Amino acid sequence: MFLAAAVDNSIRLNLSWVDYLMLVVYFAVVIGIGFVARTRVKTSMDFFLSGRSMPAWITGLAFVSANLGATEILGMAANGAQIGMSTLHYYLIGAVPAMVFLGLVLMPFYYGSKVRSVPEFMLRRFGKPSHIANSIAFAISSVLIAGINLYAMAIVIEAMLGWPQWIAIVVSGGFVLVYITLGGLSSAIYNEVMQFFVIVAGLVPLTIVGLNRVHGWGGLVDALQKTEGAKLLSTWQGTAVGNVTNPIGADWLAIVFGLGFVLSFGYWTTNFTEVQRAFSAKNMSAARRTPLIGAFPKLFIPFIVVVPGLIAAATIGNQLSATAGPGKLTYNDVIPKLMQMYLPTGVLGIAVTGLLASFMAGMAANVSSFNTVFSYDIWQRYIKKDRPDEYYLKTGRWVTVAGVLIGILTAFIAAQAANIMTYLQTLFSFFNAPLFGVFILGLVWKRMTPVAAFVSYLAGILAPTIVYIAYLNNNKLFQTATAETLYGAIISFATVVVIGVAISMFTTPKPVSELTGLVYGVGKVDLTKDVVAGDTKWYRSPALLGTAALVLCVALYLPFI
């Protein structure tokens, strides 16, 4: 039986004046960083890419912190309660290998070409049609994901203050708007670094106290093994092709190829929300090390996110449901509920601050990438060309306002999802999977043509959309919603490859002379021309950092196979 057979299904947090004081101090520091960053914003490049001046340790922590939004905290904890240690797949094959690939293979192409965004790289490789399609698709996905973080932030504010959800959403959006509008990407990055440490400081006590309440890891395992929760303790069991019994509802082929390759590489290597942090690095060496530095904290985040989900499964599992109802909590409520149950005054303030910090980091990352792509790739490129730089700086600030307002609207869409991680993965299968298919074909095959890229990209968006609609009409097509996202991503990628190759055989490719630095094997990228003192030290070697991260991936899997 569960350790707690029944619990109060409310999640109202009883904060003391000490807890509120911590929140006030934190928010004051965040706004202060925005004002300080504003003094450094002189040009549009300062606003959108921090003037390409950031050191690797700053961009590395910002890289991982930008992902520590609602999807990471609430979403992965929800997955921990719903599918257990299978959630490790999202980190060990669903993140770190792609981060290593970005640092070692792709950043030389991105940074060496001096593009300002991923869509701009698509412009140089495939021309205007693909560029426009990618820019619009990215803008839409950015505000949809911003809405997820905003909705999650509203959940916590609602739990703290009892405010109606719509008021909490509007207030949360307004706060993020202030500090991003003030300092642009620099404000976002410096806050993300601070937020990283605040998030860790908030989640570590929750994990420790939670484990103590269930009598340690051994007690947690014993509690789960006595219930249907026993299946939550392994990662690869029940993933045989044709005999799927794991909580994800997918076989090992779908997990490895759908999550570990298509969704993972699509997100970490072509999603400008993440890659933008590396674009802001001060030189090639720092840009390459950015995702590699971020990979190491990423490896250990599951222990302060997934483990609380398991604790919830053991203690309040009978209260958790895919949909809210009388006497029920959704999986998204796991972290706030555990905070209510276990954390005392003072510690609760730290945890709530960390939770809000994570949502602001996630939303700020999406809004800052949205304003860059819209301002540079859409407005400057096609609508208002050749204006003074001050014009685009002002445009960027107004676009930030628009991005937050749209994010407020999309937050109400996110509110309909019982598990926001599954909702996010669905968005990735629509937007990231087809982009990665086009991107990787164009990177390794110089024969890939602009026409093929454009048509296959649109087809790659349409294919998973059809799969998703079919699943909504017949949920027996896949065992779980998570499985649908994995297979949808595979179908999207396969569609892009088949159509892209077929059309390329009958259309004209770009001249090889125009592909230098854009296709693997065509021209060379100088990795050392802008090195500074210290970049060549052995412990800063990208190859060493990448290898160490991959070895740790394997080591961390072993106890949970």
Side-chain angles (χ1 to χ4, degrees), residues 47 177 180-181 367 370-371 395-405:
F47 186 79
L177 173 63
I180 295 297
T181 305
V367 171
F370 167 80
N371 67 26
T395 298
R397 288 198 163 103
W398 280 111
V399 171
T400 301
V401 174
V404 171
L405 292 177

Side-chain angles (χ1 to χ4, degrees), residues 401-422:
V401 174
V404 171
L405 292 177
I406 298 171
I408 289 173
L409 296 178
T410 62
F412 293 100
I413 299 176
Q416 307 306 311
N419 185 327
I420 54 178
M421 189 62 204
T422 301

